[in-house]
């Protein structure tokens, strides 16, 4: 998303005006397919019982299993029939406006490339594994699919209003790093978590991060980490509630936010619903940069 350095300002050579490029599925090497398989198999060891039902069902519905990098032409047939969404390839990060325009029109922009074998554990720029394995199963859920399209429209609006820094936090703490309360316990739905073997465990089970009840305005005041595990996760009661709250006009919230200071990344306020009060031990020890 928007917090990484943009590699390009205008569509690079070979890309269309909307920044899309062909997937060129035939050109992935056996080693690249193997990278997908290894990442997929790792996730399958941690996700059952941790990822929400909608995610696991989405994998099935799209037949997103261990056979290698998916051919998006085939995947799109199944996805379009379910929720009207399609996946398009882009060369890397695209400008915010281009990104939102795609989402608003039910096109999910996915990186065409896959990470190198030495980057299995961590990459900062989203690749096709993060984008397709992490995000696309959720787009088979009708309510979540509507939320993502609404977010695209809201992003274009927030850009115009100069409030994207606030709205981006909503994306981060839901679409990328969201947790959900279910009858069987807290489950993961955020793409940044489900595409990471280590964060899938950390987000749910580690004592370090705070786990707080989701509150729209609160989330929009909370900074986030782009370089390490989150210090706070927000737990939604379900997708219907999330969609209902976000369909409200954000203009009054944006006005209030102009007068409200940001919170500290690890802060817990008197108004928070505390599901787990983290000790922040991981962050205090230096996180992934600890020696
Ligand atoms: N309701 C938001 C607005 O008025 C738009 C939005 C919808 C944002 C869904 C995020 C998610 O700007
Ligand atoms: Fe993502």
């Amino acid at each position: 998303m928007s917090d990484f350095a943009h590699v390009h300002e205008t569509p690079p050579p070979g890309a269309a005006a909307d920044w899309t490029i062909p997937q060129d599925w035939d050109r992935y090497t056996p080693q690249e397919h193997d990278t997908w398989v290894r990442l997929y198999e790792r996730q399958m060891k941690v996700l059952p019982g941790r990822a929400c039902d909608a995610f696991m069902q989405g994998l099935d519905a799209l037949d997103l299993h261990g056979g290698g990098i998916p051919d998006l032409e085939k995947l799109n047939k199944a996805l379009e029939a379910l929720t009207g969404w399609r996946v398009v390839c882009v060369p890397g990060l695209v400008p915010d406006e281009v990104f939102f325009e795609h989402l608003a029109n039910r096109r999910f922009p996915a990186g065409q490339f896959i990470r190198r074998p030495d980057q299995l554990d961590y990459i900062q720029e989203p690749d096709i594994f993060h984008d397709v394995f992490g995000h696309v199963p959720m787009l088979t859920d009708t309510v979540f699919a509507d939320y993502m399209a609404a977010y695209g429209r809201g992003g274009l609006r927030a850009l115009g209003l100069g409030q994207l820094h606030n709205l981006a936090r909503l994306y981060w703490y839901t679409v990328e790093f969201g947790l959900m309360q279910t009858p069987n316990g807290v489950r993961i739905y955020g793409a940044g978590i489900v595409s990471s073997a280590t964060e899938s465990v950390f987000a749910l089970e580690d004592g370090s991060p705070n786990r707080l009840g989701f509150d729209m305005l609160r989330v929009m005041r909370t900074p986030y980490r782009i370089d390490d595990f989150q210090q706070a996760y927000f737990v939604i009661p379900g997708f219907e509630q999330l969609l209902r709250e976000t369909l409200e006009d954000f203009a009054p919230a944006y006005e209030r936010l102009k007068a409200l200071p940001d919170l500290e990344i690890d802060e817990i306020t008197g108004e928070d619903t505390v599901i787990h009060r983290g000790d922040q031990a991981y962050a205090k020890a230096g996180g992934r940069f600890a020696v």
Side-chain angles (χ1 to χ4, degrees):
M1 252 201 58
S2 48
D3 263 20
F4 304 97
H6 286 147
V7 187
H8 309 286
E9 291 294 328
T10 55
D18 67 358
W19 289 68
T20 58
I21 56 171
Q23 185 187 20
D24 279 335
W25 185 78
D26 294 331
R27 293 179 60 179
Y28 290 117
T29 64
Q31 191 194 46
E32 288 174 321
H33 284 295
D34 183 59
T35 298
W36 176 285
V37 172
R38 286 166 64 193
L39 288 165
Y40 172 85
E41 284 173 358
R42 279 192 349 175
Q43 289 319 95
M44 280 308 122
K45 292 197 184 110
V46 294
L47 292 182
R50 290 198 177 91
C52 68
D53 291 346
F55 180 85
M56 299 307 283
Q57 287 161 9
L59 286 180
D60 277 341
L62 299 173
D63 201 15
L64 264 181
H65 292 293
I69 300 172
D71 180 343
L72 295 180
E73 215 174 294
K74 289 184 193 151
L75 182 149
N76 280 338
K77 287 201 180 103
L79 180 59
E80 249 185 311
L82 288 167
T83 58
W85 274 81
R86 282 162 15 85
V87 183
V88 293
C89 272
V90 289
L93 290 157
V94 301
D96 294 323
E97 203 177 340
V98 176
F99 181 70
F100 296 139
E101 190 70 43
H102 280 301
L103 294 187
N105 290 288
R106 294 187 176 247
R107 293 186 301 263
F108 190 79
Q112 190 267 351
F113 73 101
I114 193 154
R115 67 195 74 183
R116 296 192 315 262
D118 61 305
Q119 297 172 311
L120 286 201
D121 285 314
Y122 192 83
I123 50 157
Q124 195 153 333
E125 216 190 340
D127 70 340
I128 193 166
F129 187 78
H130 167 78
D131 282 332
V132 173
F133 180 90
H135 284 281
V136 175
M138 291 309 302
L139 295 175
T140 64
D141 181 277
T142 51
V143 179
F144 194 85
D146 286 350
Y147 173 65
M148 284 290 275
Y151 187 90
R153 296 191 295 276
L156 291 170
R157 185 170 184 226
L159 255 182
L161 295 172
Q163 295 294 132
L164 191 55
H165 55 289
N166 292 123
L167 189 71
R169 292 166 174 172
L170 176 62
Y171 188 92
W172 197 260
Y173 282 119
T174 60
V175 176
E176 295 291 354
F177 293 97
L179 299 180
M180 179 166 64
Q181 192 72 61
T182 79
N184 302 315
V186 178
R187 293 286 185 270
I188 307 163
Y189 69 93
I193 311 179
V194 290
S195 60
S196 159
T198 45
E199 193 151 4
S200 291
V201 177
F202 180 88
L204 284 182
E205 281 138 63
D206 202 277
S208 188
N210 297 329
R211 296 182 192 87
L212 306 172
F214 178 85
D215 177 273
M216 185 74 64
L217 205 66
R218 197 283 184 220
V219 164
M220 290 206 256
R221 294 174 64 196
T222 313
Y224 55 80
R225 304 202 56 143
I226 64 162
D227 57 346
D228 208 334
F229 296 153
Q230 300 308 304
Q231 290 181 249
Y233 297 91
F234 293 93
V235 183
I236 60 166
F239 299 131
E240 289 82 8
Q241 290 92 329
L242 178 64
L243 180 63
R244 200 177 325 120
E245 271 192 66
T246 47
L247 287 179
E248 278 175 33
D249 180 3
F250 281 4
Y254 290 153
E255 276 314 307
R256 287 182 63 193
L257 284 162
K258 284 182 191 162
L260 289 168
D262 280 356
L263 297 168
E264 295 298 326
I265 197 163
D266 58 354
E267 190 170 343
I268 295 184
T269 77
E271 278 148 56
D272 284 323
T273 304
V274 181
I275 294 155
H276 171 78
R277 183 177 294 271
D279 60 15
Q280 301 294 336
Y282 174 82
K284 284 182 188 152
R288 60 187 284 264
F289 304 105
V291 277

